[in-house]
Amino acid sequence: MRRKLFLVVLAVITAFAIVVWKPFHSEPAIAKDTIRFLTARKDSLYYKAGKEFAETLKDAGFTFDIQESPGSFKNLKDLGRGRADLAFAQQDAFALLRNAGDPNISKLANNIKVFAPLTKEVVHIIANSASGINSLSDLAGKTVGVGPSNSGTYVSAVLLYQLHNLDVIREDLVTMEVKDAIEQVKNGKLDAAFYTAGVGAPLLKNIAAGAKLKLVSIDASSLVDSKGFLGDNPELFASEKIPANTYPWQKQAVNAMSTFSFIYANRSLDSQKVYNLAKAAYGKSAALKAKNSFWKLFSIDDARSTDFAKLDYHPGVKKLLQEK
């Protein structure tokens, strides 16, 4: 049953992927030792974090090619196909890839290892204040923006629909840039929009206090794994609280769901190179955290903690973590 569910989700992703992603510029040839790092679109937190990572490690002798992409799911597919060395992605997107009904997709997960845990990303559901939407159940029959196809926001939205027994094929899900979707929620052209990002996301903080918007609370008890989706991923989503006034237009605290985000690495990346990179990067963890709360969980102590110790780390990282 779990395979069937993921096949449905992948079919939805394919059905919505009308526009083929292309980079906004022609890609120049890169030096042999340059590390190709997939992020997201230029205005995204992933892209900003990628630039921070590259800048922080420049003095350690590492050179990065920070690349744009549509988001988590596309990052993982390209990483698994050897088109990049590192990539940002959400844990739920990796679970979708690994459990895909299409074996040509699921086998790509075998080529991917964890480089480092980063942060929790929270699933925000932003609704028009006049929409009558107060829970996941109320999304039935509504027109909802779910982010760009192949993005982490899209994956989170579709999986939560499935876990709430809402039919993703029959529901009116609209794929578009999150920023555009929120604008359409504000003017009533969409009823709601999903956005998976860290609490305090700048895109939402920059919306004026008078906006006719609200956050929809997600009740964890309403999520029913009737089709065996979670399987060996019982902690794929966790309860999270978004405090009142986190955003200028949000007056009440709401319950939400979160998923971890990671840096993933291509399995074939040289282990000694990965070891050297991990050692240098963890040595700069304080500098990264000072730049951005996105790096909250990026430390060697967190990587060794009980929350993450059993992750399938790249052998180069595993060697570092096993050292005293």
Side-chain angles (χ1 to χ4, degrees), residues 36-57:
R36 301 164 297 170
F37 198 153
L38 293 172
T39 60
R41 286 167 170 78
K42 273 193 173 180
D43 60 353
S44 70
L45 185 55
Y46 275 3
Y47 188 83
K48 179 182 178 183
K51 288 292 189 180
E52 291 170 349
F53 193 74
E55 180 63 26
T56 302
L57 288 168

Side-chain angles (χ1 to χ4, degrees), residues 117-134:
L118 296 171
T119 192
K120 286 182 179 180
E121 297 202 59
V122 176
V123 184
H124 299 72
I125 304 176
I126 304 102
N128 186 288
S129 55
S131 65
I133 298 173
N134 296 301

Side-chain angles (χ1 to χ4, degrees), residues 60-100:
F62 294 96
T63 303
F64 296 86
D65 178 31
I66 304 301
Q67 299 181 8
E68 297 171 69
S69 85
S72 287
F73 196 67
K74 183 68 160 58
N75 285 358
L76 291 169
K77 289 191 292 183
D78 283 348
L79 189 66
R81 289 169 176 147
R83 296 173 183 169
D85 303 305
L86 300 175
F88 289 128
Q90 295 166 199
Q91 186 180 23
D92 56 356
F94 183 75
L96 173 62
L97 183 82
R98 185 179 56 191
N99 292 285

Side-chain angles (χ1 to χ4, degrees), residues 122-129 182 186 195 197-218 240-256:
V122 176
V123 184
H124 299 72
I125 304 176
I126 304 102
N128 186 288
S129 55
I182 293 172
K186 283 198 282 187
Y195 183 33
V199 171
L203 177 61
L204 301 181
K205 272 188 171 293
N206 291 335
I207 298 173
K212 296 180 179 180
L213 298 174
K214 65 179 179 180
L215 285 178
V216 178
S217 190
I218 303 175
E240 196 76 22
K241 180 80 73 174
I242 303 178
N245 302 309
T246 296
Y247 307 109
W249 43 273
Q250 176 226 345
K251 302 307 179 187
Q252 295 181 331
V254 297
N255 296 318

